[in-house]
Amino acid sequence: MKLTDVKDQPELFKEKGYELPQYNRDEMMAETTKNPTWVHFGAGNIFRAFPAELLQRILNSKDAKTGVIVAESFDHEIITKAYRPFENLSLSVVLKANGTIEKKIISSVAQSLIADPCEPEDYQTLIGIFENPSLQMASFTITEKGYSIVDGKGDVLGVVSDGFGKGVDEQGHLMGRIAGLCYHRFQKNQAPIALVSMDNCSHNGDKLKAGVMAFVEAWVQNGLVEKDFMDYMTDPSRVSFPWSMIDKITPRPDQNVVEMLAKDDFEDTDLIITSKNTYTASFVNSEETGYLVIEDTFPNGRPALEKSGVLFTDRETVDKVEKMKVCTCLNPLHTALAIMGCLLGYTSIHEEMKDPELSDLVTKMCYQEAMPVVVDPKILDPKEFAKAVLELRLPNPFMPDTPQRIACDTSQKLPIRFGETLKFYDSRSDLNIQDLTLIPLVLAGWCRYLMGVDDQGKEFTQSADPRLDEVKEYVKNVKLGDGDEAKAKLKPILRDATIFGKDLYELGVGEKVESMFVELIQAKGSVRETLKKYVR
């Protein structure tokens, strides 16, 4: 039984518990080609597990007629190996905390494209989509790195500076390509459009806007495009950059899921690892919980995604929800488990939640240290959200998420996941930053993680991070058993506001992090003993 057999053998899939699309896919694809409404950049697992599945819901209910066109600029093999061989179908496997799984054939992707001028046919198709006035939105799940036009030191990337002087269709950076596609829309009809980041980062719409507008401004200054294009791109009634908050844990394809599907005689379970080290498959596994909150600014209209559970609201509410999740109730807990889990030799998040010290660490950090800074967004209750995270989502034994995956790009995550809370404490007269213990402990734990040596003194490979080579240089000569002399080696890191949001010494916690670091490096087993000291 192969994924593409669903067209000819729908009853076989139904018999084995697979939920099938409730619409005519051929009609949907024809309508999408004629009147495209939604193009999405970033063809990874989160897109298939969440936005594409949300759209399928309203296609099933007849509240939508068009599908989504997915475009990938970074890893072309996702398109050539995980989409096109399966006719753009995918299997969504939802892993429930009670041990059951939900299997859905997702067919809402009408077309898959490589968003790179090196594939001229695909790129011309994208241009045509952007020139069509029916297009309502372009959305993105490209990770926070995808929007950045500078390196870790703040210097403009070479591909970006080159793009500032090149034509709109000769861009190597996705932000330049998006600006170029918008220029084609501007030239054709100046139709409105919403550019919607759905990435898991703070004020994501502003990050997208900054990246795109850097190219627009440079092109205007260099005389490559008309000044009127700048007016078009900066007019929110024509081009909007809504903020959003997304929350859906989507790990790499898991072997346990492969075994479950094999019992159904489902054959398309091979793991696909691309040359850029993307892990994917014909299926995507995810948790059952998911939230998507979007600022409702769509100048050309939008799909009726509110009927699939998306919460549309104003920017202020999105900001509150995002801070609740990213700074308090989920992301900091994930990062804490990632750092400490790597040091203690764990390879699964749910197993970490059985560890008394780690479970207490994230629970107390959430409720005692982070919750005081939360402003209730009203549309989601912070305490109920946190309770679900701590009691259902993180301990879910059927979710194959790993601390190693979550530890990726930690240097990019710390300023938001912890820095915002530190700055909030510093700004409030009713809160004392010196009362914080567990957040400084996690920051000290990250510095300990940079040594690449676990709590038993064994070397381990740290997860990918754009600043890893830079920051681990500061601790390369630190060894287990070093004393207070190790503190001086941390100062350049702890003073780096680009990592922590602000100089930790200015905030008054730098010395505390130093001291905790020294405790963590005393000997084998010191990570565990230090956790016990501060957590229990």
Side-chain angles (χ1 to χ4, degrees):
M1 190 169 81
K2 293 181 174 293
L3 186 55
T4 53
D5 291 341
V6 71
K7 297 178 297 182
D8 302 319
Q9 303 180 63
E11 293 305 318
L12 177 62
F13 280 82
K14 285 182 183 178
E15 287 172 11
K16 298 196 174 187
Y18 290 72
E19 182 180 315
L20 304 186
Q22 303 299 307
Y23 52 92
N24 186 304
R25 189 168 190 239
D26 290 336
E27 291 178 3
M28 177 274 288
M29 291 192 293
E31 183 64 23
T32 305
T33 300
K34 181 181 177 183
N35 296 303
T37 55
W38 183 3
V39 60
H40 183 90
F41 291 87
N45 294 329
I46 182 65
F47 162 71
R48 292 191 292 166
F50 205 15
E53 194 274 332
L54 291 171
L55 178 59
Q56 174 135 313
R57 295 183 199 178
I58 59 173
L59 283 165
N60 284 341
S61 64
K62 314 304 179 189
D63 291 303
K65 294 181 179 179
T66 56
V68 60
I69 299 152
V70 69
E72 175 62 34
S73 67
F74 174 70
D75 194 339
H76 301 176
E77 291 176 54
I78 298 176
I79 299 297
T80 59
K81 293 183 177 180
Y83 277 82
R84 290 176 180 169
F86 305 105
E87 300 176 6
N88 298 322
L89 297 169
S90 63
L91 172 61
S92 170
V93 180
V94 177
L95 306 167
K96 298 188 176 183
N98 64 6
T100 62
I101 64 172
E102 183 180 84
K103 300 168 291 189
K104 294 183 182 180
I105 304 295
I106 304 299
S107 67
S108 59
V109 177
Q111 191 173 16
S112 58
L113 300 169
I114 294 172
D116 192 323
C118 74
E119 295 289 339
E121 185 175 342
D122 280 18
Y123 208 70
Q124 283 301 314
T125 299
L126 261 179
I127 290 172
I129 291 165
F130 269 77
E131 289 179 338
N132 196 318
S134 66
L135 184 64
Q136 296 176 324
M137 72 170 177
S139 57
F140 302 80
T141 50
I142 56 175
T143 76
E144 189 165 2
K145 292 181 293 185
Y147 305 100
S148 181
I149 60 172
V150 298
D151 61 21
K153 296 180 180 179
D155 298 325
V156 175
L157 296 168
V159 67
V160 172
S161 57
D162 288 347
F164 286 167
K166 288 185 176 180
V168 299
D169 294 331
E170 304 172 73
Q171 298 299 312
H173 194 286
L174 179 59
M175 295 298 96
R177 294 173 189 170
I178 299 303
L181 291 167
C182 288
Y183 182 67
H184 281 283
R185 189 173 182 84
F186 164 77
Q187 282 193 311
K188 187 74 173 180
N189 48 40
Q190 300 190 24
I193 189 171
L195 303 179
V196 189
S197 171
M198 294 182 179
D199 269 299
N200 181 23
C201 53
S202 179
H203 300 174
N204 47 21
D206 286 353
K207 286 180 169 58
L208 171 58
K209 183 176 183 180
V212 171
M213 293 308 299
F215 284 89
V216 175
E217 291 167 7
W219 292 343
V220 170
Q221 290 173 3
N222 294 332
L224 296 171
V225 300
E226 310 92 303
K227 184 183 178 301
D228 287 352
F229 180 48
M230 171 78 78
D231 297 335
Y232 168 74
M233 292 296 293
T234 55
D235 180 354
S237 70
R238 293 190 285 179
V239 181
S240 66
F241 295 86
W243 291 4
S244 73
M245 188 285 289
I246 192 168
D247 183 16
K248 182 81 164 179
I249 299 173
T250 312
R252 290 173 174 175
D254 183 64
Q255 184 60 35
N256 290 328
V257 175
V258 170
E259 293 169 6
M260 291 179 190
L261 296 176
K263 293 177 181 177
D264 295 335
D265 297 320
F266 184 83
E267 299 176 53
D268 291 327
T269 56
D270 290 346
L271 180 64
I272 299 166
I273 306 175
T274 72
S275 58
K276 291 193 174 181
N277 210 38
T278 299
Y279 285 67
T280 188
S282 74
F283 69 92
V284 55
N285 40 239
S286 66
E287 65 171 340
E288 60 185 306
T289 304
Y291 302 96
L292 182 56
V293 184
I294 306 178
E295 179 187 2
D296 199 2
T297 53
F298 290 79
N300 201 31
R302 57 171 174 76
L305 290 168
E306 72 278 4
K307 296 182 180 180
S308 66
V310 178
L311 300 173
F312 288 95
T313 184
D314 55 61
R315 174 167 290 199
E316 181 181 2
T317 303
V318 174
D319 189 41
K320 291 176 181 177
V321 172
E322 181 260 318
K323 285 179 178 174
M324 176 196 77
K325 180 229 176 190
V326 175
C327 303
T328 309
C329 297
L330 177 58
N331 293 24
L333 315 186
H334 248 158
T335 294
L337 290 171
I339 292 167
M340 296 303 184
C342 289
L343 290 172
L344 294 175
Y346 281 102
T347 56
S348 68
I349 293 297
H350 70 83
E351 287 295 333
E352 285 192 73
M353 290 301 289
K354 297 177 184 177
D355 184 306
E357 280 81 50
L358 294 180
S359 178
D360 282 355
L361 169 67
V362 292
T363 300
K364 292 179 180 179
M365 189 176 73
C366 176
Y367 287 122
Q368 296 176 13
E369 296 192 352
M371 195 63 76
V373 310
V374 171
V375 177
D376 188 350
K378 305 301 183 185
I379 61 172
L380 291 173
D381 181 84
K383 290 183 179 179
E384 289 300 316
F385 185 96
K387 183 179 180 184
V389 167
L390 291 163
E391 297 180 12
L392 296 176
R393 300 173 67 184
L394 295 179
N396 183 347
F398 305 99
M399 273 296 292
D401 214 353
T402 69
Q404 290 74 24
R405 182 189 78 87
I406 297 166
C408 290
D409 306 331
T410 300
S411 71
Q412 311 294 292
K413 299 169 179 175
L414 293 175
I416 301 301
R417 299 188 178 191
F418 297 100
E420 290 302 308
T421 296
L422 292 173
K423 289 188 286 186
F424 200 95
Y425 266 79
D426 186 53
S427 69
R428 286 268 296 267
S429 59
D430 60 328
L431 295 173
N432 185 355
I433 199 167
Q434 296 303 320
D435 292 338
L436 295 177
T437 298
L438 302 180
I439 290 175
L441 178 61
V442 172
L443 302 183
W446 181 65
C447 296
R448 171 70 176 78
Y449 166 92
L450 296 177
M451 293 169 60
V453 177
D454 69 15
D455 200 29
Q456 297 306 310
K458 298 177 182 178
E459 292 186 2
F460 66 89
T461 301
Q462 295 121 323
S463 301
D465 188 315
R467 297 188 67 178
L468 181 61
D469 290 339
E470 171 198 350
V471 291
K472 71 180 184 181
E473 277 293 302
Y474 295 112
V475 297
K476 68 177 181 180
N477 295 321
V478 176
K479 297 179 176 59
L480 295 185
D482 286 352
D484 286 349
E485 65 272 16
K487 292 180 179 180
K489 297 175 182 178
L490 288 193
K491 291 190 185 298
I493 304 174
L494 304 187
R495 290 195 185 282
D496 193 335
T498 64
I499 292 178
F500 299 107
K502 196 170 180 178
D503 181 329
L504 293 187
Y505 296 98
E506 291 182 7
L507 288 171
V509 294
E511 291 81 2
K512 182 179 285 189
V513 174
E514 284 180 2
S515 297
M516 290 176 164
F517 176 74
V518 171
E519 293 181 74
L520 290 166
I521 65 169
Q522 283 307 291
K524 294 179 183 179
S526 289
V527 173
R528 173 66 68 184
E529 291 307 311
T530 306
L531 277 167
K532 288 179 179 178
K533 173 182 174 180
Y534 289 109
V535 171
R536 301 309 297 273

